[in-house]
Amino acid sequence: MIKYSNQTRILTAIDCIIFGFDGSDYKLLLIQRGFAPEKEKWSLMGGFLQPSESLDEAADRVLKKLTGLENVYMEQMHTFSKPDRDPVERTIAVAYVALIDIQKYKKQISNDFHAHWFPMNELPNLIFDHEEMVNMAKSRLRYKAALHPILFELLPAKFTLPHLQAMYESLYETNIDKRNFTRKVLSTNMLVKEKEKDKTSSKKGAFYYSIDKTQYKDQFQTVLNFIPRNEMPNANE
Amino acid sequence: MIKYSNQTRILTAIDCIIFGFDGSDYKLLLIQRGFAPEKEKWSLMGGFLQPSESLDEAADRVLKKLTGLENVYMEQMHTFSKPDRDPVERTIAVAYVALIDIQKYKKQISNDFHAHWFPMNELPNLIFDHEEMVNMAKSRLRYKAALHPILFELLPAKFTLPHLQAMYESLYETNIDKRNFTRKVLSTNMLVKEKEKDKTSSKKGAFYYSIDKTQYKDQFQTVLNFIPRNEMPNANE
DNA sequence: ACAAAAGTGTTGCCCGTACACCCATGA
DNA sequence: TCATGGGTGTACGGGCAACACTTTTGT
């Protein structure tokens, strides 16, 4: 087969920005690079695009290799391309953002990569342009979560309303009135009240809720309003 | 310098989805390919990423080559990567969306590419996965324009309120109450009323307005509400 | 004079916000 | 019994949508 002539072929990398929420803080899953350059420095989990796979497949593969998880919420964010972003040789990097239930991950931890969950405000220095990727991902998450129920992807199967609210309050660094928040969230019909309570964080105990997946899917695209108008973030682009 | 070993290097293309608005219809600028494969078929304007440029620079270069325009509103949309999307050899394509004032373009037309503006509902068949790109771009434009004053990028320096309203009505295929629309738009302080009128589309004539660029930049990130709630589009991802 | 498009105000309703007390339980 | 966090209702106000007539001017 004839090829395009006189064009430069370069490497394509995938990097995954993996968010989790532990009940009070957002965390990022980072690895310690096992190969040069920048060996042993902290980095996003990544890999190179292989000949027979699409970028989405590559991202799934990379995420699974690190966490063991499949069918995780993940979407392509942005492609980074500064000519000198990788000092070894020219590489463009397609960044993916994944939101995972931090509990699920804990069971599947693979130690091959020296992975570690870092709280968002205590991130180590990262290699290459990975900090830029993380900053963009944070800003996009804030933007998107203000409009769509995307943060639910970070929750375990059963969670409490205070837990959910803490997740929003932490992301927007604000306090939300719990009566208004509860009313808004429940009015979407996306939550199902369970019979059991979570007694780990109070004496009275807080009822567990779970997601009504049908409602969730139907309403995922809807523009919501869990965040008071004044606290709305800016677009990032 | 040492390179990464055993990894596949592939071509990276840039494709530009170029939107215009002629006063009543949205249009897309397409070219007739001058080289194989699919020679003479209609296609998005594109090119290959060169060794010393970033993707943004490549997109600017490609857009300028076709239209002569610089400093145009353009942003990276998505990277397409199906292994067989280009039959010649594996190529990933980074799609950029540009919004241009169709009047400006007319003066600068470059005939090298047999370019033509097609109305959005009369698009020809496109090569490769370019239709998928266009569909995603349409859907993202609808989403983003419902929240941010991005469509102003399509307007000439002076335009009328009926012109502006037609642009929104066409994109959302809906009728908007002109009293409510005017009030909302003017309340942003982004528009400056000019002294002259446009008499081409009515006997009475409609006042020209222009953009207050300071206000526009300040408010670009704000979440707006020109579109009635019921007509709000869905997210696309 | 009439046709065709531009311009302009008011009302009602709904949604979003502010706000404070009681409940359940373990220690 | 008391301390801790969970759960609930109301009233007010602003913003959004619905709605129709007058103005201008070219023909």
Side-chain angles (χ1 to χ4, degrees), chain B residues 32-48:
Chain B
Q32 236 173 342
R33 256 171 96 91
F35 57 97
E38 306 277 8
K39 197 173 175 206
E40 307 213 340
K41 291 250 183 96
W42 291 99
S43 152
L44 296 169
M45 179 71 185
F48 290 108

Side-chain angles (χ1 to χ4, degrees), chain A residues 6-29:
Chain A
N6 300 321
Q7 297 299 342
T8 310
R9 290 154 187 82
I10 62 179
L11 288 172
T12 302
I14 294 91
D15 287 304
C16 294
I17 296 117
I18 305 168
F19 286 106
F21 181 71
D22 70 358
S24 54
D25 289 304
Y26 283 83
K27 301 208 165 171
L28 208 58
L29 188 57

